[in-house]
Amino acid sequence: MPHIIIATDSWKGSLTSLQAGDAMAAAIHRSWPDAHITTLPISDGGEGFTHTMTHALGGTLVSIDAHDPLLRPITTHYGLLPDGTAVIDVAGIVGLTLLCPEERNPLVATSRGVGEVMAQIIGSGIRKLIVGLGGSATNDCGRGMLEALAGTEGVEYTMVTIATDVDSPLCGPTGATQMFALQKGATPTMLSSLERRNHEYGLYLERTSGHDIISQPGAGAAGGIGAALMSLPHCERTSGIDLLLRLTHFDRLLSDATLVITGEGHIDRQTLQGKAPYRIALEARKHHVPCIAICGQADPHLITTPSPWQYVIPVAPPHADPLTMMQPDIARRNIERTIKGNTILTSVLG
């Protein structure tokens, strides 16, 4: 009996990690009814990180009020783990999916809401905080967050763990602006001013904190919120997906696995910067388990040269309208259609 592990990230703006995984599992069961399937919702620090971590570790979700990237009131959540650690993700507070396409403008969007949530958590007496970075609508280098957090008693005694979705430094060709600002609504003419603003604020953070920040891996995560968090008195950085895999004992699941299926909405060059599907594939390779990626769309060169996956399989038809394909019901149907009788899966599972 084949054992298939499904560990897909969320399909941003379409399906949560659990929804995408359940759709894949249901489709596989129809074609391979004898398969043993383990579905593991995952997140690398971006969208869904709070819910995934809290669910995996038996914590509880707590409602909290804050402001979105355009300073509109919202109610969001943080996770409270059994050991008293709080978990938040910036995507649920100042995330790109909270804004309509026409609202997206990284010159305007602010990270202030993240600081508001942190201030309330720390003010309640919690002194261990995991912050998932990824999926933000912002590119303000965390300035709004630090302004909201200023004056909060207990910050100097709080250990903040940054769970990053990418290894990007603050500035440069793989930094916050050059890698991510266009998808947040920036125009090409904005890039130089956004890069300059982040570099200047990064220098300020280094001067005031005494820490080396700008060049650090993860400083560019979430539009530079990583850099701002690195300026706090007690901060450590880890990979969000590595943290989750360690805490859920993923290596034990791999011991008898036949195949690992991972994925996300769009497999592209950003995925290769250390995002969840990439980390999953590397972990599977270490245990000599084949891994394929099923995604909404993929950059063409990753389909023809799919390393570190054996195969990258997009489910959206070529030239289809991306917004239409992101509708949850259509995404589920595309997953089912792609998996049904798939020759690649058949070659692995028989």
Side-chain angles (χ1 to χ4, degrees), residues 12-72:
K12 189 177 296 183
S14 179
L15 301 173
T16 66
S17 171
L18 184 59
Q19 289 170 338
D22 284 347
M24 293 178 189
I28 290 171
H29 265 307
R30 292 188 186 98
S31 295
W32 293 274
D34 293 333
H36 170 53
I37 300 176
T38 300
T39 303
L40 178 67
I42 62 170
S43 173
D44 49 23
E47 186 178 18
F49 181 74
T50 296
H51 288 72
T52 300
M53 283 285 291
T54 304
H55 173 78
L57 299 177
T60 57
L61 291 173
V62 181
S63 296
I64 193 167
D65 294 328
H67 289 88
D68 77 358
L70 300 182
L71 295 179
R72 298 175 297 204

Side-chain angles (χ1 to χ4, degrees), residues 218-269:
I225 292 177
L229 291 171
M230 290 176 183
S231 73
L232 297 177
H234 305 289
C235 179
E236 61 181 5
R237 173 190 173 270
T238 187
S239 160
I241 185 60
D242 288 352
L243 176 65
L244 182 61
L245 295 182
R246 184 171 68 251
L247 294 175
T248 56
H249 305 293
F250 187 65
D251 57 338
R252 297 180 190 173
L253 292 176
L254 289 169
S255 63
D256 68 345
T258 308
L259 174 69
V260 174
I261 298 176
T262 187
E264 62 179 350
H266 193 165
I267 299 286
D268 56 18
R269 69 188 183 114

Side-chain angles (χ1 to χ4, degrees), residues 61-195:
L61 291 173
V62 181
S63 296
I64 193 167
D65 294 328
H67 289 88
D68 77 358
L70 300 182
L71 295 179
R72 298 175 297 204
I74 59 168
T75 298
T76 185
H77 299 86
Y78 71 89
L80 186 60
L81 303 184
D83 68 352
T85 300
V87 181
I88 67 172
D89 62 69
V90 302
I93 308 167
V94 295
L96 192 63
T97 58
L98 301 179
L99 303 182
C100 301
E102 60 270 17
E103 294 177 327
R104 296 172 183 175
N105 183 344
L107 286 173
V108 176
T110 175
S111 59
R112 183 176 183 85
V114 179
E116 293 172 340
V117 171
M118 291 179 64
Q120 294 177 71
I121 291 172
I122 295 171
S124 72
I126 292 172
R127 293 294 177 263
K128 291 191 293 183
L129 177 61
I130 300 172
V131 183
L133 299 185
S136 80
T138 62
N139 197 80
D140 68 346
C141 197
R143 184 169 187 163
M145 178 195 71
L146 290 181
E147 289 174 349
L149 193 57
T152 301
E153 293 186 9
V155 172
E156 66 273 25
Y157 306 115
T158 302
M159 171 54 71
V160 177
T161 299
I162 302 173
T164 62
D165 67 340
V166 292
D167 296 328
S168 297
L170 179 60
C171 300
T174 60
T177 297
Q178 300 297 329
M179 282 290 290
F180 305 109
L182 290 176
Q183 73 184 42
K184 300 179 181 186
T187 63
T189 57
M190 291 182 188
L191 297 182
S192 60
S193 60
L194 288 169
E195 180 80 348

Side-chain angles (χ1 to χ4, degrees), residues 254-321:
L254 289 169
S255 63
D256 68 345
T258 308
L259 174 69
V260 174
I261 298 176
T262 187
E264 62 179 350
H266 193 165
I267 299 286
D268 56 18
R269 69 188 183 114
Q270 294 180 18
T271 310
L272 301 178
Q273 292 291 314
K275 299 185 80 172
Y278 180 80
R279 301 277 190 176
I280 290 287
L282 294 184
E283 195 67 21
R285 178 187 287 178
K286 282 168 46 179
H287 290 78
H288 309 290
V289 179
C291 179
I292 67 173
I294 296 177
C295 55
Q297 296 178 313
D299 285 1
H301 76 278
L302 290 176
I303 299 174
T304 57
T305 310
S307 182
W309 310 276
Q310 271 67 32
Y311 300 95
V312 173
I313 307 172
V315 305
H319 312 300
D321 175 54

